[in-house]
Amino acid sequence: MKAVFSLAMVVLLASSMAFAQASGVSTVVFSLSNPLTVTGADVDWGELSAGTTYTISPAGEITPPPPGTSPGDLLDPIQWTVEGSLGAMVNVVISMPGFFQSDGGIRVPYTVNTQSAGWGVDIFDNTVNYVPFDPRVPEVITLVDGLAAVQLGGILTIPANAGANDETDFTGTF
């Protein structure tokens, strides 16, 4: 009886070892990459007049026309190109200054409204995939072709003394 019990234990132990050898655990580690690039550009809105309030659309339309331009002329809007994975959804938050400032410290107030920003695949064609939005509120954009443009205009209220003392260049960082 002892021999049968010992034989049974050997068979049980051997089958347990065979099972342990046949079933292994593999650990797999990987990372997901969703590369996203955002490219901005420096913009020069040219010469504007003191004592005037200008409204600039996301496409660069400016009202009233600045000196030396005609109605319908476009400025370069503030623009960012967003590139990433096809169909990616990107949360856009724009940090805007409350004013543009000269080196001498003169400030030109800058505000926006609910239509001051827009995004799309072809931003200059306002009929194709163009979505206006309020730049004060985060906006989710979709990289339809892995690419989108985000553009921003705004309202400049230029004080009458803004050009005093040769203060001609005003900058703002977005």
Side-chain angles (χ1 to χ4, degrees), residues 24-51:
V25 176
S26 295
T27 302
V28 178
V29 177
F30 62 92
S31 298
L32 294 178
S33 176
N34 188 6
L36 182 70
T37 59
V38 180
T39 308
D42 292 335
V43 177
D44 184 347
W45 282 340
E47 293 184 21
L48 303 178
S49 296

Side-chain angles (χ1 to χ4, degrees), residues 13 15 36 127:
L13 181 61
S15 64
L36 182 70
T127 62

Side-chain angles (χ1 to χ4, degrees), residues 109-136:
Y110 170 77
T111 58
V112 295
N113 62 35
T114 59
Q115 300 289 304
S116 290
W119 70 273
V121 176
D122 184 356
I123 198 83
F124 290 105
D125 183 352
N126 290 347
T127 62
V128 180
N129 297 321
Y130 176 78
V131 180
F133 71 95
D134 185 339
R136 299 168 290 193

Side-chain angles (χ1 to χ4, degrees), residues 81-95:
T81 302
V82 182
E83 293 182 68
S85 298
L86 181 72
M89 298 178 78
V90 179
N91 191 39
V92 174
V93 178
I94 301 174
S95 175

Side-chain angles (χ1 to χ4, degrees), residues 49 106 139:
S49 296
I106 294 176
E139 175 78 4

